[in-house]
Amino acid sequence: MQDRCTFEFALIRLVPKVEREEFFNIGVILFSKRKKYLDIKYHIDETRFKAFSTDMELSDLNDYLSAWKLICEGEPSGGSIGKLELSDRFRWLTAARSTIIQSSDTHSGLCTNPKEELQCIFEKYVL
């Protein structure tokens, strides 16, 4: 049990028409302080995306989520947010917002490998 560590995660949701409050999960962001881990995994199902909205470009959404990935990695191209501590970056990415890309409430758990846990959560709630 000692090799297990706490983690937090949030689901990333696409809300094509905010006023309708309809959404579907497109990704997961996971943070583990002890393992110094922060990463995001996402996939936008094009068929589902087109069923929800024809007003947006898929490439724009992918660009936006790529920026989130840069922030997770702490890349210089992640801007000033990417320079923050891991926990601050996670809190910023999972903060409540009223845009077309939102995150769920954060949830916590225990794991031995955050990367594997991210993949499991992604497969369970996104794919």
Side-chain angles (χ1 to χ4, degrees):
M1 181 97 133
Q2 289 175 300
D3 58 338
R4 295 176 78 186
C5 64
T6 60
F7 71 90
E8 296 176 73
F9 77 94
L11 299 173
I12 301 165
R13 300 169 171 164
L14 180 62
V15 188
K17 298 202 183 281
V18 177
E19 66 276 6
R20 289 174 49 178
E21 298 182 9
E22 297 173 332
F23 67 86
F24 62 97
N25 297 334
I26 58 170
V28 179
I29 183 167
L30 189 138
F31 165 66
S32 173
K33 182 177 181 176
R34 187 168 139 219
K35 296 285 186 173
K36 295 180 175 71
Y37 183 87
L38 176 63
D39 203 2
I40 184 174
K41 193 168 191 67
Y42 62 90
H43 169 76
I44 303 171
D45 182 308
E46 194 169 349
T47 304
R48 190 180 269 179
F49 172 71
K50 287 179 181 178
F52 269 78
S53 177
T54 57
D55 300 341
M56 295 179 290
E57 293 293 324
L58 187 59
S59 60
D60 292 338
L61 293 172
N62 279 314
D63 290 346
Y64 189 75
L65 291 167
S66 293
W68 280 31
K69 179 78 170 165
L70 293 172
I71 290 169
C72 285
E73 295 170 349
E75 294 292 328
S77 53
S80 58
I81 304 301
K83 295 175 187 172
L84 298 173
E85 293 292 322
L86 280 177
S87 59
D88 294 333
R89 284 185 262 157
F90 177 72
R91 301 285 175 246
W92 187 88
L93 289 168
T94 59
R97 46 180 57 91
S98 61
T99 62
I100 60 170
I101 296 179
Q102 301 178 9
S103 62
S104 69
D105 291 338
T106 58
H107 308 277
S108 59
L110 292 171
C111 70
T112 55
N113 184 324
K115 186 175 182 176
E116 289 177 5
E117 192 66 33
L118 176 63
Q119 182 64 35
C120 288
I121 295 169
F122 179 74
E123 289 174 7
K124 184 175 182 178
Y125 293 107
V126 177
L127 296 182

